[in-house]
Amino acid sequence: MTNRTSRAYHTPDGVAAAPVRVDTTTAHEAEVRQRLSGVAGVTGVHSAKSVQFKSGEQHVFGTLGDCVALKTQANIGDCADGDVFYVTGSSAQPAPKGELRMTDYRKDVEVDGPKWTVPDNIRVVSSANDAKGVSGDLMITPGALGGIQAPGERLQLLVAGAGGADALIDRVATELRPLAWKAEVGKTDYMADFSGRDERMMASFRAVLLTASLFVLAVAAMSLLMLSIEQISERRRPLAALSASGVPIGVLARGSLWQTAVPVVVGVVLAVGAGLGLTAPILRLAKMPMMVDGGVLAGLAGAAVAAVLLVTALTLPLLRQVTRLDTLRSE
């Protein structure tokens, strides 16, 4: 059994402060805010908007919002209105500088917007603090735009409130239900949901594999039991003769045990070797680490040993019967 390590997930600082996300448009923002103001426990609503810039042939993506909204995207640390952050990506691309052109898409056609100059005091945030796949993105507070209106219709309203996140989501969803498609409610920490879902899927897949392995082992044990019974029945005459000549029943039982154990041990060793041999080069080509789950291997090996002992114990009554003296006389 093998597994691979997954990328660590960093919960952004602002998620706990604003656990509820409402996707809407600028045309319905005022109506959504009005309804949210009447929801019990809501203490604040923070807006976040995706923006896109162009500098020559280079496109830069970013998020425009207050400090709480930006902290739901990445762990940017200390923040004040007027700050600009750049989350470094894996390619180590430097932060953009100079004048950028805002762009937007209308009916799949790129439309130029106002120009904006990146401030010199832009702060670079390590990609290790990236929480939601925003590597290479700008994080901009409204004060840094100097009154420039960012184009685009879609935006998010991040809702802060008292009590548990699930209860707050239920209250917000209930209040915004009349708006239907105009406002979609979900968790701000949606990447954690994806991570948790992946972990649950892996746990389920692991459980299925273990169940299948144990089922195959049980079938193999049944086959060994039938084979052992057949072999003892076929060798009843020499077994009875050995017993009559003074060979203890314990020696014959140990012989039956070894006869059952050897093919099982060989099968387990070959299965583990083949599994590791096939998995290692595939993970190496995919540049993924491989970790051997010793606990699972030990558990399956223990189950194989238990199956051998059980098969031997179930064949002992038949072995005793065929080694009786009256059996030898009948032969």
Side-chain angles (χ1 to χ4, degrees):
M1 293 289 176
T2 59
N3 60 358
R4 64 183 180 87
T5 56
S6 58
R7 180 180 182 274
Y9 175 77
H10 302 274
T11 302
D13 299 332
V15 166
V20 183
R21 183 189 80 253
V22 180
D23 294 304
T24 185
T25 64
T26 54
H28 301 99
E29 179 182 3
E31 185 179 4
V32 172
R33 284 182 176 273
Q34 181 180 2
R35 287 183 173 273
L36 290 176
S37 64
V39 177
V42 170
T43 58
V45 179
H46 309 271
S47 63
K49 190 174 187 179
S50 296
V51 290
Q52 181 176 338
F53 301 91
K54 182 172 65 174
S55 177
E57 297 299 324
Q58 179 186 7
H59 287 77
V60 181
F61 299 91
T63 301
L64 173 65
D66 60 22
C67 290
V68 173
L70 297 184
K71 287 184 178 183
T72 64
Q73 303 294 313
N75 289 323
I76 57 177
D78 295 336
C79 175
D81 191 25
D83 288 343
V84 178
F85 307 87
Y86 179 73
V87 183
T88 57
S90 57
S91 60
Q93 184 176 354
K97 297 180 180 180
E99 190 176 67
L100 302 178
R101 168 78 70 177
M102 289 187 177
T103 62
D104 189 23
Y105 284 89
R106 297 175 186 174
K107 297 181 180 180
D108 297 329
V109 177
E110 188 177 63
V111 179
D112 290 339
K115 292 183 179 180
W116 174 67
T117 302
V118 180
D120 295 333
N121 62 344
I122 183 174
R123 290 165 52 187
V124 177
V125 180
S126 171
S127 59
N129 291 328
D130 173 26
K132 292 187 176 181
V134 294
S135 294
D137 283 12
L138 285 168
M139 303 276 109
I140 308 168
T141 55
L145 291 183
I148 298 176
Q149 295 296 321
E153 294 295 323
R154 302 297 303 180
L155 61 86
Q156 293 180 347
L157 295 179
L158 307 171
V159 184
D166 292 336
L168 184 60
I169 288 176
D170 291 340
R171 294 196 298 270
V172 170
T174 300
E175 182 64 29
L176 297 182
R177 186 172 293 120
L179 297 180
W181 57 270
K182 299 176 182 177
E184 299 179 2
V185 181
K187 285 186 177 181
T188 301
D189 200 10
Y190 56 88
M191 284 298 289
D193 291 343
F194 292 161
S195 177
R197 184 179 63 182
D198 290 343
E199 291 177 0
R200 291 191 295 271
M201 290 178 62
M202 288 299 297
S204 300
F205 184 64
R206 179 190 178 94
V208 170
L209 286 180
L210 288 177
T211 303
S213 300
L214 293 176
F215 175 76
V216 171
L217 186 59
V219 172
M222 290 296 297
S223 300
L224 283 174
L225 177 60
M226 299 302 296
L227 181 62
S228 297
I229 292 175
E230 183 180 356
Q231 290 177 343
I232 292 175
S233 299
E234 291 177 352
R235 299 172 184 176
R236 59 184 180 275
R237 182 179 295 181
L239 289 173
L242 288 172
S243 177
S245 63
V247 177
I249 188 66
V251 175
L252 299 177
R254 286 194 291 273
S256 178
L257 174 63
W258 279 108
Q259 186 176 352
T260 305
V262 169
V264 172
V265 172
V266 172
V268 170
V269 171
L270 289 178
V272 172
L276 295 178
L278 291 174
T279 304
I282 293 175
L283 292 180
R284 189 179 296 111
L285 289 175
K287 297 182 180 180
M288 295 180 180
M290 184 179 76
M291 297 178 62
V292 179
D293 196 332
V296 172
L297 291 179
L300 291 177
V305 171
V308 170
L309 295 177
L310 179 61
V311 168
T312 304
L314 292 176
T315 56
L316 280 180
L318 179 61
L319 184 62
R320 292 181 185 276
Q321 181 181 355
V322 300
T323 55
R324 290 168 56 184
L325 292 179
D326 55 351
T327 301
L328 182 61
R329 294 192 189 98
S330 64
E331 293 293 337

